[in-house]
Amino acid sequence: MYIPWFALILSLKVAVFSLIVNLVLGLPLGFLLARKQFWGKEFLDTILTLPMVMPPTVLGYYLLVLLGRNGFIGYGLEHYFGINLIFTWQGAVIAASIVTFPLIFKQVRTAFEGINQQYEQTAQMLGISNFAIFFRILLPLAWPNILVGLLLAFARSLGEFGATLMVAGSIPGKTQTMSIAIYEAVQSGQDTIANSLVIILSVVCVFILLSAKYLSSHKIHT
Amino acid sequence: MTRLYVNIQNSFSFAKRSFFLDVEFASNQKRIAITGPSGSGKSLLLQSIAGLITPEQGKISFGDIVFLDVEKKINQKPQARNISYLFQHYNLFPHLTVWQNIAFPLTKGFFNPRHKSHFLQVEEWLERFELTGLGDFYPEKLSGGQQQRVALARALIKQPQILLLDEPFSALDYQLRNKIRNQIDEWQRKLNITVIVVSHDPEDISQFGNSIIELKNGHGNEIKSYTPR
């Protein structure tokens, strides 16, 4: 079986990095929307959920417009820092992050909303600061649910195609991820390569979904 | 000497009705019962004393300590009031063992208590409430009565000056009710703390109602005060 190691490792690398980005952004945002009241809250939720329903190619196009050499962000990055994100693996990470963000953010919000507020009140009455309550009560109770979101996002990242292709292109040995390599292999008639790639991705995705299922059935009942 | 002074006004708007809580009482008793029909604001009063609710107007003080004085902009956080609150459904933390639940208030940092050697008093409390041997169990494995005793040990280990009890025995059967009521009675005397109980059970009221506050539709004042001989 032929295994294109580079594409496989690149896909995993992109998925891991986008997971970290989304955990850092999604955890505080999900918590904020679950527990705080502020003006425009549901509007913010809608905006943050938008990538879930938009076609990845549309997201990729937006990113291209924003991050490209003449784009709003891209121009500044290139001009002041000499950074160009288009056709790089870092660009693929941004694309995958945006596409998978709602999966993590939604799951984080639901996870925190599902915790009975009386646990926080109990901990307050026991003299624990609100900041410590987050780490001692809320995060441990929400974590199994958040982990499910992370796994789904990881699987989704591995399969990301549209937005990644728009932003990072398909440069073999540089930005060609697994899912894009499959497309290229089929296009050029290399069926054996396509077959082995498809099998690997399928096995990984089934494994991740089974793990998510296992985790959600072993949750702590709150 | 007035130990507990409460004079608060607050309007609440729930889903379909608005509610006005207007309570004033002063008590020098160490056993206070708050009673009244359901929906009369008993729990809201208790939560105001605890600091979980901040009333719009009024003052709450305990001895020399001012918990709340809206005019003077004093509002102590619940954490600062040194009050323990026993909730109706106990609220044991499901991800922590019985031992960790009881030791919970003893560490203030970002981590839950782990090392048993640091908190020897936990073993004493396990023994006092007949929980010896259950320290490593998770709360879901315990019976209702055991869960309540864990919650009580957790509330008392931090040595509060006031213990608030919200319908404490409503989820227990009759015999268990008497037993735990007597345990709380005993610990109130031993620790000499103030106990405020919200209940509509006449037996709770007769046992803990040296002062009785009766609420009717959000309005309340003291109806009985008993002076110990």
Side-chain angles (χ1 to χ4, degrees):
Chain A
M1 191 163 95
Y2 169 79
I3 299 173
W5 286 106
F6 184 85
L8 177 63
I9 289 167
L10 179 66
S11 280
L12 290 172
K13 184 160 92 172
V14 168
V16 167
F17 273 89
S18 68
L19 213 58
I20 295 169
V21 169
N22 279 340
L23 193 58
V24 170
L25 295 175
L27 201 60
L29 275 167
F31 177 72
L32 199 71
L33 269 78
R35 276 294 190 261
K36 307 287 172 197
Q37 296 303 326
F38 54 89
W39 188 85
K41 185 168 120 165
E42 291 314 315
F43 181 73
L44 181 64
D45 184 273
T46 308
I47 296 291
L48 293 174
T49 314
L50 221 47
M52 201 142 85
V53 290
M54 285 225 276
T57 43
V58 174
L59 291 172
Y61 186 76
Y62 276 130
L63 278 177
L64 208 53
V65 170
L66 277 175
L67 299 176
R69 217 154 255 169
N70 299 316
F72 182 65
I73 298 172
Y75 178 81
L77 280 178
E78 170 124 17
H79 199 76
Y80 296 106
F81 304 103
I83 298 172
N84 171 35
L85 289 170
I86 304 301
F87 300 126
T88 63
W89 71 268
Q90 290 93 338
V93 170
I94 294 178
S97 302
I98 301 241
V99 171
T100 58
F101 179 77
L103 289 172
I104 291 178
F105 157 75
K106 278 276 174 197
Q107 194 74 18
V108 169
R109 180 176 176 176
T110 319
F112 283 123
E113 276 175 345
I115 300 172
N116 189 339
Q117 295 215 10
Q118 283 207 348
Y119 287 126
E120 283 142 276
Q121 296 185 330
T122 303
Q124 281 183 328
M125 296 314 300
L126 292 169
I128 309 304
S129 73
N130 292 344
F131 206 58
I133 289 172
F134 180 81
F135 290 100
R136 289 173 62 172
I137 304 290
L138 295 173
L139 201 54
L141 288 180
W143 189 247
N145 269 320
I146 294 173
L147 206 55
V148 171
L150 291 178
L151 281 171
L152 293 177
F154 190 80
R156 180 71 187 81
S157 278
L158 283 182
E160 220 305 296
F161 182 82
T164 310
L165 188 63
M166 297 286 272
V167 176
S170 168
I171 307 165
K174 188 162 180 259
T175 65
Q176 197 180 70
T177 59
M178 287 270 275
S179 1
I180 294 169
I182 291 171
Y183 177 76
E184 299 280 0
V186 173
Q187 285 294 303
S188 55
Q190 297 168 290
D191 286 356
T192 38
I193 298 182
N195 284 342
S196 40
L197 284 169
V198 164
I199 290 167
I200 293 169
L201 259 189
S202 307
V203 168
V204 171
C205 284
V206 167
F207 175 75
I208 288 173
L209 277 183
L210 283 176
S211 316
K213 197 129 193 107
Y214 175 81
L215 280 169
S216 47
S217 65
H218 282 71
K219 272 190 304 227
I220 308 161
H221 297 285
T222 51
Chain B
M1 186 196 85
T2 298
R3 289 191 59 82
L4 180 69
Y5 173 74
V6 175
N7 177 13
I8 50 168
Q9 292 78 40
N10 196 24
S11 53
F12 297 89
S13 53
F14 299 108
K16 275 191 178 153
R17 65 189 192 114
S18 60
F19 182 80
F20 193 71
L21 184 70
D22 181 7
V23 181
E24 180 173 9
F25 68 89
S27 175
N28 54 7
Q29 298 297 331
K30 293 212 154 189
R31 291 155 167 255
I32 300 168
I34 300 170
T35 184
S38 40
S40 58
K42 300 188 296 289
S43 292
L44 295 175
L45 172 58
L46 207 62
Q47 287 172 30
S48 303
I49 296 171
L52 297 173
I53 291 175
T54 304
E56 290 149 356
Q57 285 300 320
K59 197 179 163 183
I60 302 172
S61 63
F62 182 73
D64 302 331
I65 310 156
V66 179
F67 288 160
L68 173 85
D69 189 333
V70 176
E71 267 178 35
K72 289 185 186 159
K73 297 201 165 124
I74 299 171
N75 182 15
Q76 280 195 339
K77 285 184 177 175
Q79 286 95 333
R81 296 188 184 191
N82 196 17
I83 295 176
S84 279
Y85 195 133
L86 198 68
F87 288 84
Q88 201 173 354
H89 302 291
Y90 322 136
N91 296 345
L92 298 179
F93 304 122
H95 60 303
L96 301 179
T97 62
V98 166
W99 187 91
Q100 285 179 305
N101 263 285
I102 296 176
F104 188 82
L106 302 177
T107 51
K108 304 290 180 205
F110 288 164
F111 297 101
N112 289 314
R114 281 196 191 285
H115 305 291
K116 296 204 169 183
S117 53
H118 296 175
F119 308 106
L120 292 173
Q121 68 267 50
V122 177
E123 300 300 328
E124 291 169 24
W125 282 101
L126 284 169
E127 202 174 308
R128 282 169 189 167
F129 286 112
E130 299 155 61
L131 295 164
T132 314
L134 298 177
D136 292 329
F137 284 59
Y138 283 89
E140 59 175 0
K141 301 277 180 216
L142 304 188
S143 71
Q146 290 169 331
Q147 289 188 12
Q148 174 142 43
R149 297 204 296 275
V150 175
L152 195 57
R154 184 178 66 178
L156 292 176
I157 201 168
K158 70 164 220 180
Q159 298 177 304
Q161 48 186 353
I162 306 176
L163 175 64
L164 305 178
L165 307 164
D166 191 356
E167 304 275 2
F169 319 116
S170 57
L172 302 174
D173 63 51
Y174 184 77
Q175 284 185 329
L176 223 47
R177 229 179 257 200
N178 274 333
K179 189 179 164 192
I180 292 192
R181 193 186 289 122
N182 289 331
Q183 276 180 317
I184 292 176
D185 192 304
E186 177 194 338
W187 283 100
Q188 187 276 325
R189 287 169 209 276
K190 276 190 191 161
L191 303 171
N192 196 26
I193 56 175
T194 299
V195 167
I196 306 176
V197 58
V198 157
S199 178
H200 45 239
D201 181 341
E203 288 188 50
D204 295 345
I205 296 160
S206 69
Q207 195 152 359
F208 293 104
N210 289 1
S211 248
I212 299 173
I213 318 298
E214 188 168 31
L215 288 180
K216 269 185 194 141
N217 198 20
H219 294 268
N221 40 40
E222 196 172 5
I223 58 163
K224 175 206 160 193
S225 194
Y226 148 100
T227 321
R229 274 147 287 188

